[in-house]
């Protein structure tokens, strides 16, 4: 679980650095890619921390990984190289 988060996080951090600074639209520029990259990275950190915190209270099942989360990760891993 940690390895896929590191791969996705590294790709999201590096993606805005390789994007042109002035794209045809704001969404394709480095600034347009930086905001979603930060949001997705912060979400991953928050959810991982929440799972670990809940595990200390024996409530890991409350925030367990679901099918939708696995689909999200698979979609990220397929779509990031396409960007």
């Amino acid at each position: 679980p940690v390895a896929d988060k590191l791969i996705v996080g590294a790709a999201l951090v590096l993606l805005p650095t390789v994007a042109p600074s002035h794209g045809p639209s704001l969404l394709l520029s480095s600034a347009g890619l930086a905001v979603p990259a930060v949001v997705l990275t912060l979400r991953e950190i928050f959810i991982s921390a929440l799972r670990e915190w809940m595990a200390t209270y024996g409530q890991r099942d409350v925030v367990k990984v679901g099918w939708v989360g696995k689909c999200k990760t698979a979609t990220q891993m397929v779509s990031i190289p396409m960007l």
Side-chain angles (χ1 to χ4, degrees):
V2 175
D4 63 342
K5 290 183 186 346
L6 288 174
I7 291 170
V8 170
L12 288 174
V13 167
L14 293 175
L15 188 61
T17 65
V18 297
S21 59
H22 302 293
S25 71
L26 178 63
L27 293 176
L28 296 177
S29 67
S30 59
L33 292 173
V35 173
V38 168
V39 170
L40 288 171
T41 303
L42 289 175
R43 181 211 175 269
E44 293 294 332
I45 292 169
F46 174 76
I47 294 298
S48 296
L50 178 64
R51 285 194 182 116
E52 290 300 318
W53 181 63
M54 292 298 282
T56 61
Y57 292 104
Q59 298 291 321
R60 178 167 256 169
D61 290 340
V62 175
V63 287
K64 66 182 178 181
V65 178
W67 185 79
V68 174
K70 292 180 183 193
C71 288
K72 178 200 65 83
T73 300
T75 302
Q76 282 180 334
M77 293 215 178
V78 169
S79 63
I80 287 174
M82 292 180 190
L83 292 173

